[in-house]
Amino acid sequence: MAAIQRRAIRVRGQVQGVGFRPFVYRLATQRGLSGFVRNDGAGVEIEIQGSPPALDDFLRALRQPPTLARIDALRVDELPPDPWDENAFVIAASGGGAVTADITPDSAICAHCLAELFDPRDRRYRYPFINCTDCGPRYTLTAALPYDRPNTSMAGFALCPDCAREYRDPGDRRFHAQPNACPVCGPRLTLRDAEGQPVAVDDVIAATLERLLAGEVLAIKGLGGFHLVCDAQNAVAVARLRQRKQRDAKPFAVMAANIASLACWVEGDETEWRLLESPQRPIVLLRSPRPPGEGPGERADSSPRPPGEGLGGRADSV
Ligand SMILES: [Zn+2]
Ligand SMILES: [Zn+2]
């Protein structure tokens, strides 16, 4: 049998906040390798020990990282085997060092979280801040690197036992998801009037939708700031928003729940529809078959924001 070897692996790129440590943990434990993975200022550091074929196989698999990750550089060095290695693989406490790692951008809700969001049996049913290792806010809640919960705006929200269990379970898709939250332990919605006083309502999203349909202009606090919103099909409400913003002609972005709900307003091709549904959810300029001034503007916007903002359009069906 080949002698045990140990390797140090340094990974740079977009490797924090993308489920990279859980990914490495799974690759290592599946192959019976030992050692550790941790974040530091420069990216991800791995030390791994085992048989040479298993180590080579691990390195091959490492080059196909999770969806949101991007490896810019990967350096492997041989180390002497560690006789004190405890024959286990762990996610170690983050190290410090000069910060050169990339901060991962926010990513729109993934298909798994979207299914949970509208599943009445799920404990995150209609929870607007749902996220996992494959989706959710990153950049807008990161105050410092390494990317760990105490360095994010989630630091003030202690995980409840259910969320803590998911966070610790290597088989769970929220294993080491730093912004993990639920209605019990995470941020909540509040509705406030124009003076900033809280308004007592049973269901903030339903009450917001009601006000939008009544022609009001609302400010929704999203991940990166406030969005001023109104019903794009209500000409009086749009005119009021234009007046308040002193924006006479420049188009507003139109927010839509999905592509199906956009189809009667704009024309798009395959590439444009794909862009609209990509994890980046960019603002996409689309052709409108209607003359200017008729219909909800000329842009379709679905940039990453709390899934709660998409709940309005579904409120009648939940
Ligand atoms: Zn997700
Ligand atoms: Zn929780």
Side-chain angles (χ1 to χ4, degrees), residues 5-265:
Q5 291 184 359
R6 189 175 185 88
R7 291 177 193 167
I9 303 166
R10 157 62 61 195
V11 193
R12 293 178 196 273
Q14 192 171 287
V15 287
Q16 294 190 14
V18 291
F20 203 84
R21 288 174 295 181
F23 163 70
V24 171
Y25 176 92
R26 283 187 204 109
L27 294 186
T29 48
Q30 281 161 5
R31 289 162 180 78
L33 297 165
S34 55
F36 68 85
V37 58
R38 65 174 188 168
N39 281 349
D40 63 14
V44 166
E45 181 190 15
I46 305 166
E47 281 196 21
I48 193 147
Q49 180 161 315
S51 73
L55 289 173
D56 290 343
D57 189 47
F58 170 85
L59 273 169
R60 263 192 302 276
L62 191 66
R63 291 176 196 276
Q64 269 95 51
T67 327
L68 298 179
R70 190 196 68 242
I71 296 178
D72 292 340
L74 202 149
R75 181 189 154 142
V76 184
D77 290 306
E78 297 291 332
L79 291 176
D82 179 357
W84 308 108
D85 187 280
E86 299 212 334
N87 213 13
F89 194 87
V90 294
I91 296 181
S94 296
V99 172
T100 54
D102 283 1
I103 299 182
T104 304
D106 298 342
S107 177
I109 187 167
C110 73
H112 286 122
C113 288
L114 192 63
E116 286 181 1
L117 186 66
F118 292 112
D119 179 356
R121 293 157 306 175
D122 194 275
R123 69 189 191 89
R124 292 187 179 84
Y125 176 53
R126 298 184 76 217
Y127 180 58
F129 303 100
I130 189 169
N131 67 80
C132 73
T133 47
D134 284 338
C135 76
R138 299 290 187 273
Y139 180 84
T140 46
L141 54 70
T142 302
L145 290 177
Y147 176 72
D148 287 314
R149 195 169 175 103
N151 283 341
T152 72
S153 44
M154 297 300 285
F157 298 91
L159 292 171
C160 71
D162 283 340
C163 288
R165 188 178 33 73
E166 293 168 341
Y167 184 90
R168 286 192 308 263
D169 177 2
D172 195 281
R173 63 190 193 82
R174 293 190 171 91
F175 179 45
H176 271 257
Q178 304 304 325
N180 196 17
C182 77
V184 174
C185 65
R188 293 177 201 177
L189 295 175
T190 330
L191 183 66
R192 292 175 186 270
D193 64 19
E195 274 71 51
Q197 296 307 311
V199 180
V201 290
D202 288 339
D203 185 331
V204 170
I205 291 167
T208 301
L209 182 62
E210 215 170 88
R211 282 167 166 75
L212 285 174
L213 292 176
E216 290 187 31
V217 173
L218 283 96
I220 299 181
K221 190 175 185 186
L223 293 174
F226 281 91
H227 287 114
L228 294 175
V229 293
C230 71
D231 177 1
Q233 298 187 65
N234 182 332
V236 178
V238 174
R240 190 181 300 129
L241 182 55
R242 285 202 176 285
Q243 188 194 10
R244 289 184 187 173
K245 288 282 291 172
Q246 299 184 342
R247 195 161 154 175
D248 293 338
K250 199 173 152 195
F252 286 130
V254 177
M255 191 159 48
N258 51 41
I259 283 177
S261 61
L262 272 178
C264 62
W265 297 106

